[in-house]
Structures are given as structure tokens and as C-alpha cells.
Amino acid sequence: LDGDYTAPSTATTTTSSGAGGGGAASNAVAVATSADFQLIRGEQNEVKIIFKNKDENESLNDLTFAVTGKIARYIDINPKQLSSLGPGQQASIILRITSPTYIELGKQELIITMSGKKGAIEYTDSKKITLEIHEMSKEKAQQLLASSRELINKLNNANLSYAYLSELLNQSEAEILKFNFEKIRENSDIIETQVKNALDSKKIISELDSLIISASEKGIDVSGSVRLIRQAKLSLERREFEQAYKRAKELSS
């Protein structure tokens, strides 16, 4: 009722993702973004987040930055405060992440919030980021994939192509696009072991063939060895590479 009284002007900013919903409070500012980052578990990682003052006429003041989420306690944010951000200016926020070895693999979501004032109005800008936590880097996964390709080529050149291993390679080619590096490592281990067994078996069998021919020419009874080497060759033809290597190795020892 006092004619000299003026009501204070305040607003609360709510940030949400997606479309639809009801109306927003007057002067509220809502910002929502999403970004993916690939991190290695157990190593220190840094992620840069950009906040921008989209107002071309008014500064943001008394800014503070905070991070929330399941792994927020493992994250150091720098800077934590900023006195002002001028019209149209940007602020780079660095998240330093030291991921203990027990952090779960897979996706982890974080919310990075910038709070402050725009004039007399409370201002909040929040960004959601998704981290992909891995046990190995993308570069290492690419190296393993390249090695798998080379091994499959060697197998094919030795006329020992194996559909199962080719399928694993194709699977790895698809999984790297999904950042499923652990699956690539698993497939790589299988391909490496199988190809090594196959090529080593073929080499040993070839050497034994020569020895058997030489022994036979000298009148030495090699019937037992011929039977055993025939079994090793049969395993190789059936693409039972582990069994073929085992039999060939036993025969050569």
C-alpha cells in the first residue's frame, strides 16, 4: 500500500533436455547440451567445457561452477569461480578426472552447472555430458584391429582362411565405431592365438614331411609318424588349429 515500495525482481532458471513441456518463468535462461568423451580408466583425463554468455549487451557476474553425477567426487573443476563473463564472451572450464580402477566401465553422465547473476536476476546454465569409460584407448584399439587384419591376411595367404575368424574381424570393425574397445581386444586375442597355431602347425608339418621323406629313403620305418602327421593335417583342414598345433608339436618333440 506504500506508494514508494517496489517489489524485488528475481527468477529461477531451470535447465532441461528434450522438447515439449509447459511455460518457463519470466527472464529464465535454459541451456542444455550433450557431448561424448572417451576416457581411460585409471588414467588422468581432462575435458574442456565451454560456457558462453549469449547476451550481447549484458554481463554475467559472480559465477560459480559445479559438477554433479555418480563420479563427481573424482573430478576437479577449474576454475570454480569467475567474477564476470562479458557480453558474447566464452569461458573454458577444465574437468580434471582421475578415474580409479574400480570405476564402472561404460557410460557415465555428468551435469556441469554455471550459476551467477545477470543483473539482479539469478542465472543458471547447465550442460550434460556423457563420458565413455574404457580400459584401453582408441589408439590401442585401432592398433589391435590393424594387427588382426594383418593376421587374417596371413592366414588367407597360407590357404587357411577361416570364416569364424573373419567374422570376428568384421565384428571388431563394427565395434570400434561404437567405442566398444574391450570387445576388440577380446577378438584380437582369439585371432592372434588361432592364427599363430595355424601357421606354426603348417610350418611344423611341412618340416616333418621333409624329414619323413628323408627317413623313408634311408629305409627307416616311418609308418607311425605318417599316421600321426596325417591326423595333424586333418585337424588343420578342419580348421581345428589348436588341435593341429598340439599334434604337430608332439610329433616334432
Side-chain angles (χ1 to χ4, degrees):
L1 297 179
D2 189 339
D4 294 329
Y5 175 76
T6 302
S9 174
T10 61
T12 301
T13 300
T14 302
T15 301
S16 61
S17 59
S26 175
N27 296 324
V29 180
V31 179
T33 60
S34 179
D36 290 333
F37 299 90
Q38 310 299 320
L39 304 179
I40 312 304
R41 185 167 70 173
E43 296 183 6
Q44 188 177 48
N45 298 272
E46 290 190 355
V47 173
K48 180 187 289 186
I49 308 296
I50 303 295
F51 283 95
K52 182 178 181 179
N53 180 3
K54 295 184 179 181
D55 194 311
E56 298 294 335
N57 300 306
E58 191 170 3
S59 295
L60 302 176
N61 300 301
D62 301 326
L63 298 170
T64 59
F65 301 91
V67 57
T68 57
K70 186 176 179 180
I71 62 171
R73 62 185 179 277
Y74 305 121
I75 297 174
D76 178 45
I77 188 167
N78 185 46
K80 294 181 175 63
Q81 298 178 332
L82 199 61
S83 59
S84 66
L85 189 60
Q89 290 186 347
Q90 294 185 155
S92 296
I93 307 303
I94 303 298
L95 304 181
R96 290 189 176 89
I97 306 171
T98 303
S99 304
T101 55
Y102 46 82
I103 281 186
E104 291 182 22
L105 298 177
K107 291 184 179 180
Q108 299 284 351
E109 289 189 349
L110 295 172
I111 303 295
I112 319 302
T113 303
M114 177 176 70
S115 303
K117 290 188 176 181
K118 184 176 178 181
I121 301 172
E122 298 294 330
Y123 179 92
T124 302
D125 181 352
S126 295
K127 297 178 182 289
K128 181 176 75 173
I129 64 171
T130 301
L131 308 179
E132 284 273 3
I133 309 297
H134 300 286
E135 286 186 324
M136 60 188 298
S137 67
K138 182 178 181 180
E139 290 72 22
K140 178 61 177 177
Q142 290 173 329
Q143 291 173 6
L144 290 177
L145 187 55
S147 177
S148 293
R149 292 192 197 103
E150 184 178 351
L151 288 171
I152 293 297
N153 285 336
K154 286 182 178 181
L155 196 67
N156 294 339
N157 291 336
N159 295 319
L160 292 172
S161 57
Y162 188 14
Y164 167 64
L165 297 182
S166 296
E167 288 172 5
L168 288 183
L169 178 60
N170 292 336
Q171 184 184 64
S172 294
E173 298 278 8
E175 293 299 330
I176 199 167
L177 300 177
K178 303 174 186 176
F179 304 104
N180 190 357
F181 304 147
E182 286 68 38
K183 189 63 178 177
I184 294 170
R185 181 174 60 186
E186 178 184 329
N187 290 348
S188 174
D189 289 343
I190 295 173
I191 291 172
E192 181 179 8
T193 300
Q194 290 285 318
V195 172
K196 185 178 185 304
N197 284 339
L199 297 181
D200 286 352
S201 297
K202 185 175 183 179
K203 181 181 178 181
I204 293 172
I205 289 171
S206 177
E207 292 172 350
L208 289 174
D209 275 338
S210 297
L211 291 174
I212 288 173
I213 292 173
S214 177
S216 180
E217 290 175 348
K218 294 177 182 179
I220 300 174
D221 182 14
V222 293
S223 57
S225 296
V226 170
R227 178 178 57 82
L228 292 175
I229 203 170
R230 187 181 297 120
Q231 292 177 345
K233 289 179 179 180
L234 183 60
S235 294
L236 199 61
E237 292 171 1
R238 291 175 175 173
R239 300 311 187 247
E240 297 170 353
F241 297 144
E242 185 177 356
Q243 182 69 19
Y245 178 72
K246 181 179 179 181
R247 286 174 170 172
K249 194 69 176 175
E250 288 178 352
L251 189 57
S252 65
S253 59

